[in-house]
Amino acid sequence: MAEHADGWLYSALAPEIQRANTARWRRLTGESGAPGSKPYAQAGYLVLDEDPRSAPRPLPQGWAMGREPLLDLFKTYEAGGVDQLMVNLRLNSRPADEVLAELAEYLLPHFPTPEIHPAARASHLTFRQF
Protein backbone atom coordinates (compact mmCIF):
# COMPACT_ATOMS: atom_id res chain seq x y z
CA MET A 1 0.00 0.00 0.00
CA ALA A 2 2.89 2.42 0.72
CA GLU A 3 3.91 2.35 -2.94
CA HIS A 4 0.58 4.06 -3.80
CA ALA A 5 0.92 6.81 -1.17
CA ASP A 6 2.49 10.21 -1.79
CA GLY A 7 3.81 10.35 1.77
CA TRP A 8 3.05 9.58 5.40
CA LEU A 9 1.62 12.22 7.75
CA TYR A 10 1.63 11.36 11.44
CA SER A 11 0.92 13.26 14.64
CA ALA A 12 3.60 14.46 17.05
CA LEU A 13 5.33 11.64 18.90
CA ALA A 14 8.59 11.26 20.80
CA PRO A 15 11.66 11.30 18.53
CA GLU A 16 12.55 7.65 19.18
CA ILE A 17 9.05 6.54 18.12
CA GLN A 18 9.19 8.76 15.04
CA ARG A 19 12.61 7.30 14.15
CA ALA A 20 11.04 3.81 14.14
CA ASN A 21 8.12 5.07 12.02
CA THR A 22 10.39 6.75 9.46
CA ALA A 23 12.53 3.60 9.21
CA ARG A 24 9.38 1.56 8.60
CA TRP A 25 8.20 4.07 5.97
CA ARG A 26 11.54 3.88 4.12
CA ARG A 27 11.43 0.08 4.26
CA LEU A 28 7.84 -0.03 2.90
CA THR A 29 8.51 2.44 0.08
CA GLY A 30 11.97 1.14 -0.79
CA GLU A 31 13.26 4.72 -0.71
CA SER A 32 16.28 6.00 1.14
CA GLY A 33 14.91 9.27 2.45
CA ALA A 34 17.25 11.27 0.22
CA PRO A 35 15.89 14.52 -1.27
CA GLY A 36 13.12 13.64 -3.71
CA SER A 37 11.94 10.59 -1.74
CA LYS A 38 8.36 10.22 -0.61
CA PRO A 39 8.13 12.39 2.51
CA TYR A 40 7.46 11.40 6.08
CA ALA A 41 5.66 14.33 7.70
CA GLN A 42 4.62 15.10 11.24
CA ALA A 43 2.03 17.56 12.55
CA GLY A 44 1.26 18.88 15.99
CA TYR A 45 0.33 21.83 18.14
CA LEU A 46 3.09 24.25 19.02
CA VAL A 47 3.09 26.60 21.99
CA LEU A 48 6.21 28.73 21.63
CA ASP A 49 7.14 30.39 24.91
CA GLU A 50 8.48 33.94 25.00
CA ASP A 51 11.54 32.77 26.96
CA PRO A 52 13.78 31.25 24.25
CA ARG A 53 15.30 28.79 26.76
CA SER A 54 12.03 27.66 28.35
CA ALA A 55 12.20 23.92 29.00
CA PRO A 56 9.85 21.50 27.22
CA ARG A 57 6.65 20.57 29.00
CA PRO A 58 3.92 18.09 28.11
CA LEU A 59 1.40 19.07 25.46
CA PRO A 60 -0.95 16.45 23.98
CA GLN A 61 -0.20 16.00 20.28
CA GLY A 62 2.45 18.68 20.19
CA TRP A 63 5.23 20.67 21.72
CA ALA A 64 5.43 23.48 24.31
CA MET A 65 8.81 25.14 24.95
CA GLY A 66 11.14 27.96 24.03
CA ARG A 67 12.77 28.25 20.62
CA GLU A 68 16.19 26.90 21.67
CA PRO A 69 14.99 23.48 22.88
CA LEU A 70 12.52 23.48 19.97
CA LEU A 71 15.40 23.84 17.51
CA ASP A 72 17.19 20.94 19.19
CA LEU A 73 14.02 18.83 19.04
CA PHE A 74 13.36 19.61 15.38
CA LYS A 75 17.00 18.81 14.53
CA THR A 76 16.53 15.46 16.29
CA TYR A 77 13.44 14.77 14.19
CA GLU A 78 15.33 15.72 11.04
CA ALA A 79 18.19 13.36 11.93
CA GLY A 80 15.59 10.64 12.54
CA GLY A 81 14.16 10.96 9.03
CA VAL A 82 11.22 13.35 9.43
CA ASP A 83 11.05 15.38 6.20
CA GLN A 84 8.33 17.90 7.03
CA LEU A 85 6.95 19.39 10.22
CA MET A 86 3.61 21.15 10.34
CA VAL A 87 2.68 23.20 13.37
CA ASN A 88 -0.68 24.44 14.56
CA LEU A 89 -0.37 27.65 16.58
CA ARG A 90 -3.97 27.70 17.82
CA LEU A 91 -3.05 27.04 21.49
CA ASN A 92 -0.62 29.96 21.82
CA SER A 93 -1.42 32.89 24.07
CA ARG A 94 0.92 35.03 21.93
CA PRO A 95 -0.29 36.45 18.61
CA ALA A 96 0.32 34.07 15.69
CA ASP A 97 2.20 36.68 13.65
CA GLU A 98 4.64 37.15 16.54
CA VAL A 99 5.22 33.39 16.86
CA LEU A 100 5.63 33.02 13.08
CA ALA A 101 8.15 35.87 12.98
CA GLU A 102 10.21 34.19 15.71
CA LEU A 103 10.10 30.83 13.95
CA ALA A 104 11.09 32.45 10.65
CA GLU A 105 14.01 34.32 12.18
CA TYR A 106 15.45 31.69 14.50
CA LEU A 107 14.39 28.24 13.27
CA LEU A 108 13.75 28.26 9.53
CA PRO A 109 17.34 29.20 8.57
CA HIS A 110 18.44 25.85 10.05
CA PHE A 111 16.17 23.89 7.69
CA PRO A 112 16.76 24.62 4.00
CA THR A 113 13.95 23.53 1.68
CA PRO A 114 14.76 20.27 -0.15
CA GLU A 115 13.41 19.16 -3.51
CA ILE A 116 9.80 17.93 -3.23
CA HIS A 117 8.90 14.42 -4.44
CA PRO A 118 7.08 14.73 -7.82
CA ALA A 119 3.98 12.93 -6.51
CA ALA A 120 3.83 15.24 -3.50
CA ARG A 121 4.35 18.30 -5.71
CA ALA A 122 1.37 17.31 -7.85
CA SER A 123 -0.90 17.14 -4.81
CA HIS A 124 0.61 20.10 -2.92
CA LEU A 125 -1.98 22.55 -1.64
CA THR A 126 -1.55 26.21 -0.82
CA PHE A 127 -3.68 27.71 1.91
CA ARG A 128 -4.32 31.42 2.15
CA GLN A 129 -5.84 33.48 4.89
CA PHE A 130 -8.53 35.84 3.59
Side-chain angles (χ1 to χ4, degrees):
M1 187 126 75
E3 67 272 9
H4 301 294
D6 291 339
W8 185 0
L9 172 60
Y10 210 88
S11 61
L13 294 172
E16 60 277 3
I17 296 171
Q18 290 297 34
R19 185 178 296 271
N21 282 347
T22 58
R24 190 165 111 219
W25 174 243
R26 302 298 176 217
R27 203 171 44 254
L28 290 170
T29 61
E31 296 188 2
S32 65
S37 295
K38 291 181 176 186
Y40 181 95
Q42 174 177 321
Y45 293 104
L46 171 63
V47 173
L48 189 64
D49 296 335
E50 285 191 60
D51 176 358
R53 293 177 185 89
S54 179
R57 60 190 187 285
L59 181 67
Q61 298 182 20
W63 314 276
M65 63 190 76
R67 71 172 178 256
E68 291 178 10
L70 183 65
L71 175 59
D72 293 339
L73 177 65
F74 282 4
K75 282 294 196 182
T76 300
Y77 284 131
E78 180 183 47
V82 174
D83 300 300
Q84 299 171 5
L85 285 165
M86 291 158 270
V87 296
N88 184 325
L89 304 177
R90 183 174 77 185
L91 302 178
N92 279 274
S93 59
R94 297 168 58 193
D97 59 345
E98 182 181 310
V99 173
L100 286 173
E102 187 173 343
L103 292 172
E105 182 175 353
Y106 295 100
L107 269 72
L108 288 182
H110 296 276
F111 302 97
T113 304
E115 182 61 30
I116 298 173
H117 186 278
R121 186 181 304 114
S123 63
H124 183 76
L125 298 176
T126 302
F127 293 93
R128 296 186 191 128
Q129 183 175 354
F130 296 101

